[in-house]
Amino acid sequence: MKKLFARFAADQSGATAIEYGLIAGLIAVVIISAVTTLGTRISAKFNAIAANLS
């Protein structure tokens, strides 16, 4: 039983998977915020162009 617990405590694969999941989540948040900001700026530019054409 001690060997099983020691092997379970030494297993790092679960921690690695969680770390990769957190990194992927952080990257997704950065991408979403960048795309949202860029989309807002592009929308404002198109609205300004449309107003000038009218």
Side-chain angles (χ1 to χ4, degrees), residues 10-11 24 44 51:
D11 188 14

Side-chain angles (χ1 to χ4, degrees), residues 16-40:
T16 303
I18 292 172
E19 289 169 356
Y20 283 136
L22 290 173
I23 291 170
L26 180 62
I27 290 171
V29 167
V30 169
I31 289 172
I32 289 169
S33 64
V35 168
T36 301
T37 303
L38 184 63
T40 304

Side-chain angles (χ1 to χ4, degrees), residues 35-51:
V35 168
T36 301
T37 303
L38 184 63
T40 304
R41 289 183 181 180
I42 290 173
S43 178
K45 289 286 185 185
F46 277 123
N47 287 335
I49 291 170

